[in-house]
């Protein structure tokens, strides 16, 4: 379980294909604090640490993860958002983020608002995922509030701290991002279809 408050960023150092899996090695300041078998969210995707040393660690993404995330387009030296699992008793500063990415989105617009930025993302609405005004969304693992919600599109406002301390500062038009829709909203939508 995560909160969507990014703790650190890492740099992709190596990507090794092994059958349908990807072994991804990431250089990060938090590497020395990690343990084997620990869960870490990578651009919002919960992955298990399988190897580590002082400055880097390795995780494995399986085919299911790769097919639902933007990991298929990961490259060496990409900047990746990192968050360790929350501790019981800590404040929940963002929203409930499971680390189970629902689908990818595509960055369609970036507007500089003189001190903040508005990013607009498009997604395939045939998956039945939805956003609502002032609802929560996780974009590359970052807990954000939805603005301008539409059928297959939404926007989020990014403050300077988030822009500078996550990979939002590196995003460009047509880049793909990992989307995890609000878990409570998903349950409500599912219940509504059962009636």
């Amino acid at each position: 379980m995560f909160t969507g408050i990014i703790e650190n960023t890492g740099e992709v150092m190596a990507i090794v294909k092994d059958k349908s899996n990807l072994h991804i090695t990431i250089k990060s300041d938090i590497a020395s604090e990690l343990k084997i078998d620990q869960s870490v969210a990578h651009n919002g995707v919960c992955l298990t640490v399988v190897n580590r040393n002082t400055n880097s660690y390795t995780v494995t993404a399986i085919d299911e993860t790769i097919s639902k995330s933007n990991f298929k387009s990961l490259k060496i030296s990409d900047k990746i958002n990192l968050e360790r699992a929350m501790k019981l008793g800590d404040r929940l500063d963002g929203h409930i983020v499971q680390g189970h990415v629902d689908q990818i989105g595509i960055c369609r617009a970036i507007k500089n608002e003189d001190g903040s930025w508005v990013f607009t993302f498009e997604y395939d609405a045939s998956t039945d995922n939805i956003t609502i005004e002032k609802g929560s969304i996780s974009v590359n693992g970052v807990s954000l509030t939805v603005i301008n919600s539409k059928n297959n599109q939404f926007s989020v406002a990014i403050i300077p701290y988030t822009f500078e301390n996550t990979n939002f500062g590196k995003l460009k038009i047509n880049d793909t991002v990992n989307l995890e829709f609000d878990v409570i909203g998903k349950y409500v939508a599912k219940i509504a279809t059962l009636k």
Side-chain angles (χ1 to χ4, degrees), residues 59-124:
V59 293
T60 300
I62 63 172
D63 192 50
E64 169 72 8
T65 303
I66 297 163
S67 70
K68 289 209 168 116
S69 70
N70 66 358
F71 280 17
K72 54 188 147 296
S73 60
L74 262 185
K75 300 180 296 303
I76 303 299
S77 23
D78 276 357
K79 187 176 179 180
I80 196 162
N81 295 329
L82 303 174
E83 180 189 1
R84 287 182 282 184
M86 64 185 261
K87 296 178 188 174
L88 284 177
D90 276 0
R91 289 183 179 88
L92 183 63
D93 291 319
H95 73 281
I96 296 170
V97 177
Q98 295 181 296
H100 305 158
V101 168
D102 295 303
Q103 66 185 98
I104 61 166
I106 301 169
C107 183
R108 291 302 188 201
I110 303 170
K111 185 176 179 190
N112 188 324
E113 293 284 348
D114 194 29
S116 66
W117 293 262
V118 172
F119 285 75
T120 300
F121 298 99
E122 183 180 87
Y123 62 94
D124 178 4

Side-chain angles (χ1 to χ4, degrees), residues 113-180:
E113 293 284 348
D114 194 29
S116 66
W117 293 262
V118 172
F119 285 75
T120 300
F121 298 99
E122 183 180 87
Y123 62 94
D124 178 4
S126 70
T127 58
D128 293 330
N129 290 313
I130 60 166
T131 60
I132 61 168
E133 290 288 323
K134 306 299 184 270
S136 297
I137 185 86
S138 172
V139 178
N140 273 353
V142 181
S143 173
L144 297 165
T145 301
V146 172
I147 58 175
N148 301 326
S149 177
K150 296 181 182 170
N151 184 39
N152 69 331
Q153 198 176 79
F154 66 92
S155 299
V156 291
I158 302 297
I159 63 171
Y161 180 87
T162 303
F163 189 83
E164 294 160 9
N165 290 282
T166 69
N167 58 14
F168 266 91
K170 302 277 184 194
L171 277 181
K172 299 180 294 302
I173 304 294
N174 294 324
D175 279 355
T176 59
V177 294
N178 295 323
L179 300 178
E180 181 181 332

Side-chain angles (χ1 to χ4, degrees), residues 26-37:
I26 296 147
K27 180 181 176 185
S28 170
D29 294 341
I30 65 169
S32 62
E33 301 170 35
L34 298 177
K35 297 181 177 113
I36 304 282
D37 289 337

